Structure formats: structure tokens, C-alpha cells
């Protein structure tokens, strides 16, 4: 059910972030460089994840980076789990601008308003991409560790 899908998405998001951390720690030459670059890269991925800036509002010259961001897949998957197939009730004195202003608001209209469209609207695409991202980062970290020993 939705609870177990939430747990799977939460786990994959955390382990994807951890895998990026492994790759950064293995590839950066010193602790000083890592202390500057790792938080900067992590914050960049969080911003590209859709939390702060909707996907549609991300400038074209950096839009490619949402495909490298673990946060974009985790955020999209969690939103799909929460809203797809649900109707959201409205308060009595609330005006709605999503879905033509009708209450209750359809979950699919909420997802579309948040920019969860195209491939990002597919639950299994988000899950698969987090698994691929994890595997790629862990293999990359392994390669960097083998080269330094």
C-alpha cells in the first residue's frame, strides 16, 4: 500500500544521497576541498529537486541537472504516492486555482500544478532512476578508491 511505497521511496532517497556522499568523499583530493564542495553540490541538488523551485521554473541552461538530482526523483515519487488517485477536500471559504477551481481538487491536478509531468509522473521511473543513480555513484566511488590505493 501507500505506506510501504512511502518507506521504499524514503529509503531510496536516503541511500541515493548517501551514495553521492560516498562518490564525493572518494573523488575529492582533500578534506578542505570536500568541506567546500560537498555541501555546495548537495544544496544544488536539493534546489534542483523541485522543493524550492518548480521544475517548470528552472532555467533552461541548468534544467539538465534535475536528471542528476536524487531529490527530484524522491520528491516526485513521494508526491505521486501522496496525491495520485485522491480527491483533496476544500475549506468553505477557500478559492482554488488548481484544476479549474472545482472542489474537491483531484490529486492529478495537484501533481500537474507542481510540475510533476512527463517521465517524472511515473512512479516506477523515479524508483528506477534512484536505483541507477545509487549504483552509478557507488561504482564511481569504488573506481576512485581503487585508483588511490
Amino acid at each position: 500500500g501507500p505506506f510501504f511505497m512511502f518507506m521504499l521511496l524514503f529509503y531510496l532517497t536516503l541511500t541515493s544521497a548517501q551514495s553521492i556522499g560516498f562518490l564525493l568523499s572518494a573523488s575529492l583530493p582533500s578534506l578542505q576541498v570536500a568541506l567546500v564542495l560537498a555541501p555546495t553540490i548537495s544544496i544544488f541538488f536539493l534546489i534542483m529537486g523541485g522543493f524550492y523551485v518548480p521544475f517548470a521554473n528552472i532555467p533552461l541552461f541548468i534544467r539538465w541537472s534535475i536528471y542528476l538530482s536524487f531529490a527530484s526523483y524522491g520528491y516526485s515519487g513521494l508526491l505521486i504516492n501522496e496525491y495520485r488517485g485522491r480527491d483533496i477536500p476544500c475549506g468553505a471559504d477557500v478559492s482554488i486555482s488548481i484544476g479549474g477551481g472545482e472542489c474537491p481538487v483531484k490529486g492529478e491536478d495537484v501533481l500537474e500544478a507542481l510540475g510533476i509531468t512527463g517521465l517524472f509522473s511515473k512512479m516506477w521511473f523515479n524508483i528506477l532512476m534512484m536505483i541507477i543513480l545509487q549504483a552509478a555513484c557507488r561504482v564511481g566511488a569504488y573506481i576512485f578508491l581503487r585508483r588511490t590505493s
Side-chain angles (χ1 to χ4, degrees):
F3 174 75
F4 293 106
M5 185 58 72
F6 169 81
M7 292 302 293
L8 174 65
L9 290 162
F10 188 69
Y11 173 77
L12 287 173
T13 303
L14 289 177
T15 54
S16 295
Q18 183 184 47
S19 298
I20 291 172
F22 286 157
L23 178 62
L24 291 174
S25 66
S27 63
L28 296 174
S30 69
L31 180 62
Q32 292 79 15
V33 173
L35 288 173
V36 171
L37 289 181
T40 306
I41 292 168
S42 297
I43 295 296
F44 178 74
F45 282 148
L46 288 174
I47 291 170
M48 294 298 109
F51 302 118
Y52 306 108
V53 180
F55 294 139
N57 294 347
I58 295 175
L60 287 175
F61 70 94
I62 58 171
R63 193 168 293 170
W64 58 267
S65 64
I66 65 174
Y67 295 100
L68 299 177
S69 172
F70 67 92
S72 62
Y73 302 114
Y75 181 63
S76 297
L78 289 169
L79 286 175
I80 291 166
N81 189 52
E82 185 66 30
Y83 290 112
R84 179 159 290 149
R86 299 189 181 176
D87 292 332
I88 296 95
C90 305
D93 297 327
V94 176
S95 64
I96 304 296
S97 62
I98 297 173
E102 299 174 8
C103 278
V105 178
K106 296 197 177 308
E108 286 75 10
D109 293 337
V110 173
L111 292 172
E112 188 176 323
L114 292 171
I116 309 301
T117 58
L119 283 175
F120 284 100
S121 68
K122 311 286 187 241
M123 176 68 81
W124 294 107
F125 170 77
N126 292 303
I127 290 172
L128 180 64
M129 288 305 293
M130 282 191 283
I131 292 170
I132 290 170
L133 184 64
Q134 256 183 77
C137 287
R138 289 179 187 255
V139 167
Y142 176 77
I143 290 168
F144 276 108
L145 287 173
R146 294 289 294 171
R147 290 174 58 182
T148 58
S149 60

